[in-house]
Amino acid sequence: MSESFNAIPRHTPPISVSSTSTEVNRTGSWKYIQPAYHDRVAPCSAGCPTGVDIQGYMTLLREKRTAAAAELLLQENPMPAISGRVCNHPCESSCNRCEFDGSVAIHGVERMLGDRILEGRLPGSCRIRHAEHVAIVGSGPAGLACAYHLVRMGYHVEIYEQEQLPGGMLRIGIPEYRLPRAVLDRQIEFYQAMGIVFHTGCRAGEDVSWEHLATHYAAVFIASGAHVSRLLSLEGDQAGRLLLSGLDFLHRVNSGERPDLGRRVLVIGGGNTAMDCARTALRLGSEVTVVYRRTREEMPAIAEEIEDARREGVNFRFLLAPESIATLDSGLRLSCRKLKLGELDAQGRRRPLPTAEPPLELEAETVITAIGEDSELHMITADLDDVRRAVNTWSCERFARIFLGGDVAGDERTVASALGAGKRAAIGIDRHLRSHNGEHFPDELLEEMSIGRTGALSMARWMHSDPVRRVSPLNDVVRPEEINTASFAHEERHEDHHAEFSLSFAESNTGLSEAEALAEAMRCFQCGVCNECELCQIFCGENAITHDSVNGRFVIDLDHCKGCGVCTAECPRGAILMERLAGQD
């Protein structure tokens, strides 16, 4: 016997010894689940009605590829300098970083990129590739978005706008201290340079007939917005002359007027229009009080706008419902019923209920009502009988060539929602026209273009210009519990800067500096997409994960992967999922 054999203690059980590589043992055959890389949807993108690939452009910024980030953003959002200023940014409330140390300031990054785009050269005219002409009614965010995407696809697009200047509610509804006219005007110049034709001072149904639009264009997109203020009926105001419409007031001021409102102004309402009216009246030198029938928590206005109004000096009176109004020698007296909150209503807000307390009387020289707006869709003539059936822009080949979007289609009345509606309409129009030319688009394609489950679509995927090399079409959203926060350090969020309040219409929110915006991009978790951090490879106990330098992807050796799930647990961004093998249910 050899000396080494004699060294083995007696009674040692026999063991197997092999002189060959363990690679020949396919130990991966033991597993019933296995890891797989997926390009999943970040919750910010899923929460964005515009369908912007936020994670994508944040990643490009982290790599110092600012021009590429701007290009990716522009594939989905035609006006980031504007949306970065006025959007209600639902993307941020969806951010997986919310509960960690505060959401990424996405709107600030978007605004920085948008401003850089507008500071650059005007784009060249887009090449016309299709014979069909498309008409768009309304040059608000929905109409502009639809035109932008269609002209990039190669269509000839003409916009009809009843105002003398394009922009719709961006121009006549949003005050200049929130959206400087220089920014809006420069954005319109970009669209004109791309080849979009504007017919301003031209009201559809009057200056140009609906019949003309329906017969002279291959498709018509109606995005005329909601420009009619809802009326508030108060006892003592039978003629409706004592209340000033919020939209009419904003339209006058945004057109250059500076009306004398008196020393005291009451604004009735709790939405964005009410906040705009209140802050505008404040800049005209009045003392302003907002009267709202619920509490601040139930106000539908953008939270930042409410806080800005409070910071600038607007007063708030909650749980009051105006009932009557009377004229005084000094102005007006508004009598309000005191309320309390009851059970939840259909919208999930507590219902205001009257109390037995005596009414509260408020005095002012001007009372502005801002309780909501309606569209003028009812004014469309019988020439377009099919218009109300044409809302579904994906299945529109069953209908007339009429498309609806934005406020007139009942979408949420925000700029982001309008931009998403315009994009969906552009995709629907393109599909409709190309279908008539013999192309086939299966319904399954809609799933491939979807961003999450909120109805937003990817223009990059529709135009086959998606810069992300996707492993799979899996379209689920990364949840907060799927983020391995141990891989991230706490970093304080950068907040917007504000100019000191003054009686002027200079921009009040000055945003983030470029350095701060880039720092916010570095805070992004990059949810759902592998960024080659190598943690999966480092923690794999079987050495079953290798990096393919050719395609820049990690590859799992399934012959030796035992399905332990360590790589999935250690992945910082939820880009690896464990999948059950077929037949292992």
Side-chain angles (χ1 to χ4, degrees), residues 42-48 52-55 57-58 61 73 77 80 83-85 87 89-98 102-114 304 493-496 512 516-517 520-521 523-525:
C44 52
S45 293
C48 173
V52 174
D53 186 359
I54 298 170
Q55 175 275 326
Y57 77 72
M58 291 287 185
L61 283 175
L73 176 56
N77 183 353
S83 60
R85 286 171 163 84
C87 176
H89 40 269
C91 53
E92 294 186 14
S93 58
S94 302
C95 177
N96 276 338
R97 192 149 190 157
C98 281
S103 63
V104 176
I106 299 170
H107 74 283
V109 183
E110 185 174 286
R111 172 176 170 168
M112 181 276 291
L113 276 176
E304 287 86 350
R493 167 185 161 114
H494 295 83
E495 299 293 349
D496 290 341
L512 302 176
E516 290 170 333
E520 282 300 299
R523 294 181 66 237
C524 174
F525 280 162

Side-chain angles (χ1 to χ4, degrees), residues 394-408:
W394 182 248
S395 302
C396 62
E397 74 277 358
R398 300 196 306 267
F399 307 131
R401 302 187 306 273
I402 311 302
F403 298 77
L404 299 181
D407 297 343
V408 296

Side-chain angles (χ1 to χ4, degrees), residues 10 31 33 61 128 178 280 293 396 424 471 491:
R10 296 181 63 185
K31 63 181 178 294
I33 55 175
L61 283 175
I128 301 297
R178 287 183 60 203
T280 297
R293 61 179 182 160
C396 62
R424 289 195 303 274
V471 176
E491 298 177 39

Side-chain angles (χ1 to χ4, degrees), residues 93 112 115 124 300 330 347 480 511 523 554 557:
S93 58
M112 181 276 291
D115 284 346
S330 58
Q347 285 75 42
R523 294 181 66 237
F554 283 95
D557 178 3

Side-chain angles (χ1 to χ4, degrees), residues 205-227:
E206 295 181 6
D207 302 301
V208 58
S209 70
W210 291 110
E211 181 180 8
H212 174 84
L213 294 176
T215 57
H216 285 72
Y217 292 91
V220 179
F221 177 51
I222 301 175
S224 49
H227 294 256

Side-chain angles (χ1 to χ4, degrees), residues 227-235 237-248 268-269 273 293 322-323 325 367-375 378 413:
H227 294 256
V228 181
S229 292
R230 293 174 186 166
L231 300 178
L232 178 63
S233 178
L234 294 180
E235 181 183 344
D237 188 30
Q238 288 80 8
R241 297 175 180 174
L242 300 182
L243 300 176
L244 178 60
S245 158
L247 278 186
D248 291 343
I268 302 172
T273 301
R293 61 179 182 160
E323 291 188 323
I325 191 169
V367 178
I368 300 174
T369 173
I371 60 173
E373 299 80 37
D374 291 316
S375 71
H378 64 280
R413 290 178 179 176

Side-chain angles (χ1 to χ4, degrees), residues 137-155:
V137 177
S139 65
L144 291 173
C146 184
Y148 170 85
H149 292 297
L150 283 173
V151 78
R152 288 177 61 231
M153 293 181 202
Y155 290 96

